[in-house]
Structure formats: C-alpha cells, structure tokens
Amino acid sequence: MSDARLRIEEAGPLTSIQDAGRPGWRRFGVPPSGPVDRRAFAAAVGASGGYGSAIEFSLGGLTLVAEERAVSVAITGAASATVNGVEVGGWCVVTLQPGARCRIRESGGNWGYCAPAGRLECSEWLGSSATHLIAGLGGGRIGEGDRLTVREAHRDVASVDIPLPADGEPFTVARAVLGPQQRYFTPEVLCRLTSEPFAASARFDRMGMVLDGPPLPPERIDMPSEPAMRGALQIDGDGRMSLLTADHQTTGGYPRIAVVIDPDIDRLAQLPAGSAIRFQLVEPEEAIALTRAAAADIAAWLDRVKTAARRRPSLLTANLADGLVVTRRFSSGAPPWPPSAR
C-alpha cells in the first residue's frame, strides 16, 4: 500500500470532510456535526474498507482527479457518477486509475458521499474530523484546487454495487413526537401539523432545511433559550417550520413543536425540493421502539455492505483470456471472485 492523491476540480459550496461526528460536546455549545445522511455515509465508509472519513457533497456535486496512484472509492447517497465520461451510476465502488476524472452529481436527493479506500489526511478538532461548516472546524471545507492525500490507499477493492437500504419505498410520512415546546401553540395550530401536507424546499444547508407549508405561528416567542436537538421541527416568528440537522445550534429561543424520530430524520433531509411530506405523531415509548428496531435493521444491512466489499485477486492467482479475469478456486474453499462489471 502507498499514498494516493485526489485533486478537486469542482466542488459545491457545501462540500466537506466528515466522520461519524463528535458526540458529547453539546453542553459546551458544540453540535455533533458528522454526515447529514448517516446511513449513506456509513455505507460508503463500510464499502471502502472502514477508514472512518468521507467527502460529503450537495448542490454543485464534486469532480475529482486521481493523481500519481490508483485508488478505489465508494459512492453513495443522492449521487450519480461518471468516470472519464463513462456512466457508473451511484451506490457503487469504482477504482480510479492515475489521471482518471470522476464527476459526481447529486441525484434524487440532497446529500452524497465519496469515501476513498484509505485514510483521508485532514485536521481534527476535539478528536474528530467532522466539519462544522460555518465555523470551518474539523476536517474542513473542500473547494476547487484542493488536493487530498489518502494514506495507505487501496486500489484493489472490487468494483461492486453497494446494497441499497431495505426501505426503498417513497418516503411520504415522517413520524414525530410532540413537543417539547408545544405549550406555545394553540390546539388549532397543533392540529394543522398533522392534518395538512408540507413540502421539502431548496432552502437547506448542514444546519437544517426549511419546510414549505401552512404557517404554524406560535402564540409568542418570548421563551428563554432551551436545548435544541437533531430532528427538531423549529418554528420561527412567522410560523415557518425548519428541520434541524447535523450542524444545528445547541440552544435556541424559537419553540420546537415536535421532534422527528431518529430513523426518519435523515430521510426527510434527503427529500428533493417540492417533495410532499406529512407528519404523524407517535408516543415517546413507540418512538423508542421504532428507533431500536430501525437501528437493528441498519446494523444488519451495514454488515451486508461490508461483506460485499472485497479485494480483487492478484493476477498471479488468475487466468487471463480475452481480456477477462477468471479467478481459480482456491484449495481452501474460498469463493471465486466474479469478473468485475466496472
């Protein structure tokens, strides 16, 4: 293994380096940060070897060029890619040879991930490379002309399709727990939250997303600052609702009418502008049970993602015929390596 370098030719304004986040600092005013879509991030990291960091991108996409040495990358989330003009799609692992240009564009959502098969060299803050984008702390924002070094880079990760999450049906209902500041709203407004439709908007960043829909005006906004959390549905003085996401503030003086349960937060943040969404209230006990069940399903799915990731065999263990690589069965009974489609 040796180091590889990726040169950034183009990057949208929300492109940054992320790891899984820095929990445990909210009491000091520091949000966890980390990926907006935690499932897609974890899949990219798992499929590329589990090195812990990835590039997160959104509007404007990402174009990178492999320099000096080849390196494999995993692409997940709302993304579709081409390599040297050849379409490879999304949710896949590809190997970039030296000089190869990979163009990734957001597709079907808002947030995508590109995880190299190696350790991204970047700065850390409070023990994490998760970037708090507004503050610029952590691994950092990525822009045109930057060069990223991938330590101990692998170029032999087999090109595969990454298994998709099981819940592939359209996401139209987000479950939420009422409160904690429901006392600031009239019964009529509380009813409007679940009886009328809302829609994702194009106004989003790593702090949150504005949701279009009927106004939900609070009776007053003179509340003292109280803790805020990921998934909270915050209402401003004009009755506009916003979903808080990865870089959310840790306290705030606007009331939170409800909190989306954890399995639905990132799916809501991924909805393209104009997508309709309704809210369904659940009791806290049900929210806990749903979250635990979803966590178990995600863990099992990520195990399948990691199992699908594998190294390509050396040519010393392969027969070459007409440009195809057909791997021999080993005496140990190891499964054969299928020819790659990429």
Side-chain angles (χ1 to χ4, degrees):
M1 290 183 295
S2 56
D3 298 343
R5 287 176 177 79
L6 298 171
R7 174 168 51 85
I8 307 300
E9 280 197 346
E10 297 176 320
L14 300 178
T15 307
S16 64
I17 293 175
Q18 298 294 334
D19 64 13
R22 58 174 65 78
W25 295 93
R26 279 189 291 184
R27 65 187 184 276
F28 300 111
V30 179
S33 295
V36 176
D37 186 339
R38 292 163 291 180
R39 290 193 312 175
F41 167 87
V45 169
S48 61
Y51 286 86
S53 296
I55 303 170
E56 179 182 76
F57 54 88
S58 184
L59 300 176
L62 174 71
T63 301
L64 46 84
V65 176
E67 294 187 334
E68 300 176 18
R69 296 183 183 276
V71 60
S72 300
V73 298
I75 300 166
T76 65
S80 182
T82 63
V83 176
N84 292 337
V86 178
E87 183 71 35
V88 298
W91 288 86
C92 63
V93 178
V94 295
T95 296
L96 305 180
Q97 298 299 327
R101 176 176 287 100
C102 181
R103 293 175 57 87
I104 314 173
R105 292 292 176 264
E106 74 279 1
S107 175
N110 302 317
W111 301 95
Y113 298 88
C114 176
R119 180 172 54 84
L120 273 173
E121 184 178 76
C122 60
S123 60
E124 294 189 352
W125 181 58
L126 299 177
S128 169
S129 62
T131 301
H132 186 279
L133 202 62
I134 293 178
L137 298 169
R141 187 189 298 266
I142 295 174
E144 178 182 345
D146 288 345
R147 282 178 165 80
L148 302 178
T149 298
V150 183
R151 299 295 185 192
E152 304 173 359
H154 287 277
R155 60 182 180 181
D156 58 348
V157 179
S159 298
V160 296
D161 291 326
I162 299 172
L164 293 171
D167 53 1
E169 69 279 359
F171 181 63
T172 58
V173 177
R175 297 158 293 183
V177 176
L178 188 65
Q181 285 98 27
Q182 71 271 32
R183 64 189 183 276
Y184 287 91
F185 301 91
T186 65
E188 178 187 356
V189 169
L190 293 177
C191 180
R192 200 178 298 162
L193 174 67
T194 55
S195 64
E196 298 193 33
F198 294 81
S201 80
R203 292 163 289 172
F204 67 86
D205 58 17
R206 283 185 43 81
M207 289 189 68
M209 171 192 277
V210 174
L211 298 170
D212 293 329
L216 304 173
E219 291 190 288
R220 63 186 193 277
I221 53 172
D222 58 351
M223 60 172 277
S225 290
E226 295 186 16
M229 64 182 298
R230 189 178 192 137
L233 296 174
Q234 179 173 277
I235 313 297
D236 67 17
D238 294 324
R240 286 185 299 249
M241 183 161 64
S242 296
L243 171 75
L244 303 187
T245 56
D247 282 354
H248 66 85
Q249 73 277 19
T250 57
T251 62
Y254 285 130
R256 269 74 69 187
I257 194 171
V259 178
V260 177
I261 69 171
D262 197 73
D264 293 351
I265 297 171
D266 300 357
R267 297 187 73 189
L268 180 52
Q270 279 280 29
L271 284 180
S275 299
I277 189 72
R278 285 183 175 270
F279 293 97
Q280 174 189 342
L281 294 180
V282 298
E283 293 299 320
E285 296 78 11
E286 184 180 0
I288 292 171
L290 290 168
T291 299
R292 287 175 174 168
D297 290 343
I298 291 170
W301 166 65
L302 288 175
D303 283 342
R304 295 195 297 273
V305 170
K306 294 172 185 176
T307 300
R310 61 190 187 275
R311 300 280 184 257
R312 285 196 301 266
S314 164
L315 293 182
L316 294 177
T317 64
N319 292 324
L320 300 181
D322 296 330
L324 293 177
V325 178
V326 182
T327 304
R328 299 178 183 138
R329 289 184 180 272
F330 292 87
S331 59
S332 63
W337 300 93
S340 170
R342 292 189 178 87

